[in-house]
Amino acid sequence: MNLLLDTWFQVIRHLRTQIRMRVFIFMNLFQPIVWLLLFPQIFKSLSDMPGIGGDYLQFLAPGVVVMTVLFGSAWTGMGMLQDIDMGILSKTLATPVTRVSIIASRVIASMVMLVIQALMIFIIAVIMGVDIVTGVPGVLLSIVLISLLGMGFAAFSNGLALLFKRPEPMMAIINFIAMPLVFLSSTFMAAELLPSWLDTVRQFNPVDYAVVGVRGLVLEGFVWSDLWLSLVVLAAWAAVGIGFGTFMFRTKAE
């Protein structure tokens, strides 16, 4: 009970902090809209290529949703760094608050905001003409997939913040990891069109499993063979990220 209450109150605190940063929220939502508007025009000539399905916007929209959650969750550790610099983490540790709730609340709060953003992007994509063949149930299952991806990266990001306690090395690592993971997946290009080495690499990339799962729900329907694989891999990734974040908190938090 204490864990739940402690987590709840801290989630509210983190959400209030994020809501106050309206410019940050606007940019996080504006950037995916730019992707939806710009990339289909740039890659329009690819629409008739194998695996694209004749409409690049329809093909790209699931990838944009995944990218939004990936980038948003990968940078959540910056909030932890701010609390470290301001001494808030030390003061929190001096209270009887449940230790697990400190990092759990950050991951949950970030996922609440990112899920809301993802839903808004789905709505915008539908307005732009994207047809989600699985309807509302497919969107809800997509939220489960991207939440698992986001939880792993959010916990990993907080773990990096606790490990380095400085923004420079953390920013370098996040920049080194996040964008390459997008390009080492089928986000922008169908798997059939990728070089053989890249097609092999993407099979070890959790981002690709999120993209494949969400794209299947948008374009094809409930293909459970792909969905179960995506769910298992993303759940494993979430467990790894949470394990890393928890370990860093227990060993590095002061």
Side-chain angles (χ1 to χ4, degrees):
M1 182 61 71
N2 288 339
L3 173 61
L4 294 176
L5 288 175
D6 291 344
T7 302
W8 168 256
F9 286 120
Q10 290 181 84
V11 166
I12 297 300
R13 177 218 160 198
H14 296 316
L15 288 176
R16 286 175 176 172
T17 301
Q18 293 184 51
I19 290 172
R20 292 191 187 104
M21 297 186 292
R22 296 175 184 174
V23 173
F24 185 71
I25 294 175
F26 173 77
M27 292 306 299
N28 280 349
L29 186 60
F30 180 74
Q31 189 177 47
I33 295 174
V34 172
W35 290 335
L36 287 173
L37 291 172
L38 186 62
F39 287 156
Q41 299 302 316
I42 295 175
F43 298 109
K44 190 175 182 179
S45 60
L46 299 176
S47 297
D48 295 327
M49 298 292 286
I52 303 297
D55 186 344
Y56 192 75
L57 174 61
Q58 185 91 3
F59 175 85
L60 178 66
V64 171
V65 173
V66 173
M67 282 194 298
T68 301
V69 173
L70 167 63
F71 294 142
S73 59
W75 289 105
T76 57
M78 298 302 291
M80 178 69 80
L81 282 178
Q82 186 177 26
D83 278 5
I84 293 173
D85 291 340
M86 296 176 65
I88 295 175
L89 179 60
S90 297
K91 293 177 181 178
T92 303
L93 290 171
T95 69
V97 67
T98 309
R99 296 300 185 258
V100 176
S101 68
I102 296 176
I103 191 167
S105 61
R106 288 189 171 278
V107 173
I108 294 171
S110 65
M111 291 317 304
V112 170
M113 295 298 295
L114 290 170
V115 164
I116 292 173
Q117 291 179 28
L119 288 172
M120 294 179 69
I121 294 169
F122 269 120
I123 293 171
I124 293 169
V126 169
I127 293 174
M128 293 176 65
V130 173
D131 180 27
I132 303 175
V133 298
T134 54
V136 174
V139 171
L140 295 178
L141 186 51
S142 296
I143 294 300
V144 173
L145 292 171
I146 61 177
S147 294
L148 291 171
L149 179 74
M151 281 191 289
F153 277 104
F156 182 75
S157 179
N158 279 279
L160 288 178
L162 290 162
L163 176 63
F164 294 113
K165 295 185 172 64
R166 291 183 58 82
E168 295 85 359
M170 179 180 166
M171 292 171 65
I173 290 178
I174 295 301
N175 283 327
F176 179 76
I177 292 176
M179 187 59 76
L181 284 178
V182 172
F183 286 104
L184 291 173
S185 71
S186 56
T187 300
F188 296 109
M189 194 71 63
E192 296 91 327
L193 302 177
L194 296 175
S196 58
W197 69 268
L198 185 53
D199 187 52
T200 300
V201 170
R202 76 176 182 88
Q203 297 178 41
F204 299 92
N205 182 357
V207 175
D208 188 72
Y209 286 92
V211 171
V212 169
V214 177
R215 181 172 288 146
L217 290 167
V218 171
L219 299 180
E220 301 173 13
F222 294 100
V223 183
W224 288 108
S225 57
D226 292 337
L227 287 174
W228 281 120
L229 181 59
S230 293
L231 285 168
V232 170
V233 171
L234 292 172
W237 163 245
V240 169
I242 292 171
F244 174 77
T246 303
F247 177 75
M248 287 296 106
F249 183 79
R250 290 177 174 174
T251 57
K252 301 296 183 178
E254 298 176 354

